[in-house]
């Protein structure tokens, strides 16, 4: 999926000036109004970029479009909550995105960011807010979904209103309650598993000097790269790309690399990636993570640095963040388990 071209620098400033003019009675050719407009926009921008809640919220909103696009079940994604709206008086609020799936279904999706690390933390949505979103979705013949990114856990859930608990004038959920009820499968999400360990080995060039110093510093020129699954070398190009994607963006952890030497010559540096909490060998595989989480990790690399937001959106297309796993994939040296998690609306959590 690719972003359709547009020219925001040409049109958006005029639209913003027009929108603000309605309240402040600006004149289109008045230089003093232009100056006042630029001062107010500059002050508003400065205030916003100093507010971490706004920055994280807008970044996660942009992230969702890339996640939905990379998961490959959507044929159209559009930001919905922009531009003027006119209504006959019905209580309405436009959700963040309009999605059209490849099977023709339409979703209106409101995106939320939950930054609390407690899986039992109650994420609250007010009833009248939900009603405004639902009225808008109903008017467009679409189903309303709430997408929540639990950023501390790097996990997405997609929920219908029926999946939320209600008390008084509030709807709420927790990560523990939301995850088993999530409908991310509708967007193409799935859990990926394989056999530990995944290994990444940098082979030193035989034509260059290669050694390890007394203070454990390696000096060598990379001549080749090898990737392994359960100590079996992966040689197929597609399997290597999938394995490298899992290594980079999956949840498995790694320790300091191992230096492999022979007669004081450094042959290679090898990294081992493995499940941090161990794995059940009788089961035969361990989960690396959800595709939506891996796409988010890839996006986070470009937009977050040292826990600070450095960009809200990126220029690249959603397909840059995806990994291509063919339907019915059966690996030779990289066996994969793909788990399609169906939502369980009857799941009851007892804290």
């Amino acid at each position: 999926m690719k972003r359709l071209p547009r020219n925001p620098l040409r049109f958006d400033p005029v639209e913003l000036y027009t929108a603000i003019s309605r309240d402040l009675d600006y004149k289109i050719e008045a230089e003093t109004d232009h100056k006042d407009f630029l001062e107010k926009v500059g002050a508003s921008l400065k205030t916003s970029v100093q507010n971490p809640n706004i920055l994280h919220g807008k970044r996660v909103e942009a992230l969702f479009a890339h996640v939905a696009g990379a998961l490959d079940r959507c044929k159209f994604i559009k930001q919905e909550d922009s531009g003027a709206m006119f209504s006959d008086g019905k209580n309405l609020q436009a959700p963040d995105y309009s999605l059209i799936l490849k099977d023709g279904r339409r979703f209106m999706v409101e995106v939320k960011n939950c930054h609390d690390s407690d899986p039992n933390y109650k994420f609250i949505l007010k009833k009248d807010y939900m009603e405004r979103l639902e009225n808008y979705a109903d008017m467009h013949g679409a189903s309303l979904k709430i997408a929540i990114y639990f950023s501390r856990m790097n996990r997405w859930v997609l929920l219908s209103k029926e999946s939320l608990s209600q008390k008084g004038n509030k709807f709420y959920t927790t990560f523990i309650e939301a995850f088993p009820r999530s409908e991310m499968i509708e967007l193409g999400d799935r859990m990926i598993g394989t056999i530990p360990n995944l290994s990444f080995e940098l082979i030193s060039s035989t034509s260059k000097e290669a050694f390890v110093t007394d203070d454990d510093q390696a000096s060598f020129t990379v001549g080749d790269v090898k990737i392994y699954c359960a100590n079996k070398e992966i040689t197929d190009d597609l399997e290597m790309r999938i394995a490298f994607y899992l290594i980079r963006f999956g949840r498995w952890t790694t320790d300091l690399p191992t230096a492999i030497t022979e007669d004081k010559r450094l042959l290679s540096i090898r990294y081992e990636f493995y499940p941090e909490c161990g794995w059940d060998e009788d089961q035969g595989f361990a989960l690396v993570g959800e595709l939506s989480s891996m796409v988010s990790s890839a996006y986070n690399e470009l937009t977050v640095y040292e826990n600070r937001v450095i960009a809200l959106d990126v220029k690249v297309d959603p397909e840059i963040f995806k990994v291509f796993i063919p339907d019915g994939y059966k690996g030779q040296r990289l066996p994969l388990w793909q788990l399609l998690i169906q939502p369980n609306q009857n799941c009851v959590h007892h804290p």
Side-chain angles (χ1 to χ4, degrees):
M1 177 170 280
K2 296 182 180 295
R3 188 192 299 266
L4 299 180
R6 61 187 301 271
N7 190 342
L9 192 59
R10 181 179 180 184
F11 298 109
D12 289 4
V14 175
E15 292 180 1
L16 179 60
Y17 185 85
T18 301
I20 294 177
S21 295
R22 288 193 289 267
D23 294 328
L24 300 182
D25 198 27
Y26 286 156
K27 301 299 183 291
I28 193 65
E29 295 182 351
E31 292 291 337
T32 54
D33 289 346
H34 296 174
K35 182 178 179 181
D36 188 67
F37 166 75
L38 293 174
E39 288 176 352
K40 282 183 168 57
V41 170
S44 177
L45 177 62
K46 185 175 182 179
T47 299
S48 295
V49 298
Q50 293 174 345
N51 186 326
N53 291 333
I54 291 178
L55 292 183
H56 284 289
K58 296 302 292 183
R59 190 191 73 86
V60 168
E61 183 181 320
L63 165 60
F64 174 79
H66 289 275
V67 169
L71 292 178
D72 213 26
R73 286 280 180 86
C74 296
K75 65 179 179 181
F76 184 74
I77 300 171
K78 178 184 178 296
Q79 187 176 4
E80 191 72 17
D81 64 338
S82 61
M85 288 198 304
F86 300 87
S87 172
D88 64 358
K90 195 168 187 178
N91 197 19
L92 299 172
Q93 180 162 335
D96 293 312
Y97 287 101
S98 172
L99 273 57
I100 301 179
L101 305 189
K102 289 182 177 179
D103 61 11
R105 288 178 298 157
R106 298 190 63 194
F107 291 166
M108 291 287 176
V109 181
E110 181 73 354
V111 181
K112 294 296 179 184
N113 178 43
C114 180
H115 197 56
D116 199 285
S117 59
D118 182 359
N120 288 303
Y121 170 80
K122 286 186 177 180
F123 187 85
I124 294 173
L125 297 164
K126 292 184 177 179
K127 182 180 178 181
D128 62 341
Y129 173 72
M130 288 289 294
E131 287 177 347
R132 294 197 302 271
L133 295 171
E134 195 168 35
N135 288 340
Y136 187 97
D138 289 344
M139 183 178 289
H140 289 78
S143 300
L144 175 66
K145 305 293 181 184
I146 307 298
I148 306 176
Y149 180 53
F150 292 91
S151 53
R152 293 288 184 90
M153 306 167 202
N154 189 26
R155 281 183 167 91
W156 283 94
V157 299
L158 187 71
L159 303 173
S160 299
K161 185 180 76 173
E162 294 72 26
S163 298
L164 302 172
S165 300
Q166 184 177 1
K167 186 175 183 180
N169 64 348
K170 295 177 181 178
F171 289 94
Y172 67 90
T173 191
T174 67
F175 176 78
I176 295 295
E177 294 174 346
F179 195 73
R181 299 175 183 177
S182 175
E183 301 169 41
M184 284 296 292
I185 186 176
E186 302 287 4
L187 304 183
D189 201 11
R190 52 198 184 274
M191 290 185 177
I192 304 296
T194 191
I195 304 173
N197 290 347
L198 288 173
S199 310
F200 182 77
E201 188 173 19
L202 303 174
I203 311 297
S204 65
S205 172
T206 57
S207 63
K208 303 288 185 178
E209 190 176 21
F211 57 91
V212 178
T213 64
D214 292 338
D215 57 352
D216 292 330
Q217 299 295 311
S219 176
F220 71 109
T221 300
V222 176
D224 194 9
V225 174
K226 293 184 179 182
I227 299 178
Y228 304 85
C229 177
N231 289 320
K232 294 180 180 178
E233 184 181 353
I234 301 170
T235 55
D236 178 76
D237 287 344
L238 173 61
E239 290 191 344
M240 288 185 70
R241 287 196 295 272
I242 295 172
F244 186 63
Y245 188 90
L246 300 180
I247 285 172
R248 283 195 66 194
F249 304 122
R251 289 202 178 90
W252 288 3
T253 189
T254 187
D255 299 319
L256 292 175
T258 300
I260 300 173
T261 61
E262 184 179 273
D263 296 331
K264 296 186 178 180
R265 176 175 176 81
L266 177 65
L267 300 181
S268 66
I269 296 290
R270 182 158 168 159
Y271 295 82
E272 298 283 346
F273 292 82
Y274 57 91
E276 190 169 12
C277 297
W279 66 292
D280 183 357
E281 295 190 31
D282 292 335
Q283 178 177 267
F285 70 96
L287 292 173
V288 184
E290 301 83 9
L291 286 181
S292 58
S293 296
M294 296 184 211
V295 172
S296 301
S297 294
Y299 186 89
N300 292 346
E301 281 193 355
L302 300 180
T303 57
V304 177
Y305 179 72
E306 293 184 346
N307 296 319
R308 292 186 303 106
V309 175
I310 59 172
L312 302 182
D313 201 355
V314 292
K315 188 177 181 180
V316 298
D317 296 320
E319 64 183 29
I320 297 297
F321 300 113
K322 67 180 288 187
V323 57
F324 175 66
I325 302 176
D327 292 338
Y329 170 89
K330 293 182 180 179
Q332 299 175 8
R333 296 293 184 91
L334 179 68
L336 289 188
W337 282 258
Q338 302 187 63
L339 280 63
L340 305 178
I341 308 300
Q342 299 285 348
N344 181 3
Q345 305 298 354
N346 299 319
C347 180
V348 178
H349 171 56
H350 299 285

